[in-house]
Amino acid sequence: AQTVTQSQPEMSVQEAETVTLSCTYDTSESNYYLFWYKQPPSRQMILVIRQEAYKQQNATENRFSVNFQKAAKSFSLKISDSQLGDTAMYFCAFPSGQAGTALIFGKGTTLSVSS
Amino acid sequence: DTGVSQNPRHKITKRGQNVTFRCDPISEHNRLYWYRQTLGQGPEFLTYFQNEAQLEKSRLLSDRFSAERPKGSFSTLEIQRTEQGDSAMYLCASSLYGNEQFFGPGTRLTVL
């Protein structure tokens, strides 16, 4: 079965610090996408970053970057220069089948950024 | 781009009643997804449509749940004979084929 595991239920960091959220997954697919979504308190979920499994280069979006280790089935999210607005629940996700099908989500990591 | 919208945002109902939620996707998106999210958990897939065709249903979608997308635009999710275990946030998302899924704000259902 395809699964996603986020082993850190909660994390705290101060403004301007760097934090890394971990995610491991299991799939039999060889070509797939991986996603990190952000869900701020009482607000809708938005895509933070995505990684295509066939690309060796790690994806980067401004202060957000990933460390993708395909062989280890690991997909961690690094947030640099943390800001108060980064406070949210973060979910790792990947499609259950081919691209565009249902997403399987981890249980999430609640990140709190304090001043 | 008005984004994905969902109505109502909140629904409180008594056990045994039927409820219906509506999702309006981003206009050019041909795929529409329904997820359920309970407190402190990640979303769980329920079903998805490509245009008006319902292509996949999760085992979570019991016989009391039905979803439609009659004209390939908006979608409705109906829950019959609600149970307290149905209390959750129901999320809708849309995408253009296999591209990024954009999520709506969700409908929070409370079954008393």
Side-chain angles (χ1 to χ4, degrees):
Chain A
Q2 293 167 312
T3 59
V4 180
T5 301
Q6 292 180 250
S7 59
Q8 305 150 312
E10 296 181 357
M11 295 193 72
S12 297
V13 68
Q14 292 201 315
E15 276 185 298
E17 291 183 342
T18 295
V19 62
T20 299
L21 310 182
S22 65
C23 172
T24 58
Y25 62 93
D26 190 18
T27 180
S28 56
E29 300 286 332
S30 58
N31 194 18
Y32 48 89
Y33 292 85
L34 291 159
F35 305 92
W36 277 99
Y37 278 87
K38 169 185 177 181
Q39 189 175 40
S42 301
R43 294 179 61 188
Q44 64 201 73
M45 196 166 320
I46 57 173
L47 181 67
V48 174
I49 196 166
R50 78 174 189 178
Q51 173 78 42
E52 294 164 85
Y54 69 89
K55 289 187 175 180
Q56 292 186 341
Q57 186 174 7
N58 289 325
T60 300
E61 288 287 342
N62 300 315
R63 297 182 295 107
F64 298 88
S65 61
V66 301
N67 182 6
F68 174 50
Q69 303 289 330
K70 189 173 183 179
K73 294 183 179 176
S74 170
F75 180 58
S76 60
L77 175 69
K78 186 171 83 170
I79 305 174
S80 303
D81 187 25
S82 297
Q83 301 176 359
L84 295 177
D86 296 332
T87 294
M89 200 155 184
Y90 288 81
F91 295 99
C92 176
F94 74 96
S96 62
Q98 295 177 355
T101 56
L103 291 175
I104 299 174
F105 288 82
K107 291 187 175 182
T109 296
T110 300
L111 176 66
S112 299
V113 181
S114 57
S115 57
Chain B
D1 179 7
T2 57
V4 178
S5 62
Q6 293 187 246
N7 288 288
R9 296 291 306 277
H10 303 273
K11 179 69 176 179
I12 299 174
T13 190
K14 293 182 179 179
R15 187 176 53 186
Q17 297 294 306
N18 298 345
V19 295
T20 300
F21 310 140
R22 176 177 170 128
C23 171
D24 287 89
I26 293 172
S27 58
E28 65 268 24
H29 285 183
N30 60 344
R31 291 190 179 177
L32 187 148
Y33 311 79
W34 285 99
Y35 294 86
R36 181 173 70 185
Q37 184 180 23
T38 53
L39 197 62
Q41 301 294 315
E44 296 174 296
F45 168 72
L46 293 177
T47 188
Y48 96 93
F49 295 83
Q50 179 163 307
N51 299 317
E52 66 275 8
Q54 189 172 18
L55 296 188
E56 187 176 351
K57 292 194 293 186
S58 161
R59 58 178 174 79
L60 292 176
L61 210 68
S62 75
D63 291 345
R64 298 184 297 106
F65 287 69
S66 63
E68 295 183 341
R69 195 182 183 198
K71 297 182 180 179
S73 56
F74 73 91
S75 175
T76 58
L77 177 67
E78 180 183 17
I79 308 175
Q80 296 182 328
R81 305 181 303 281
T82 53
E83 302 173 355
Q84 288 185 327
D86 296 331
S87 295
M89 177 76 84
Y90 290 84
L91 298 172
C92 175
S94 70
S95 71
L96 183 62
Y97 293 105
N99 294 320
E100 173 189 349
Q101 292 185 25
F102 290 81
F103 283 81
T107 294
R108 182 169 296 284
L109 172 66
T110 301
V111 181
L112 302 177

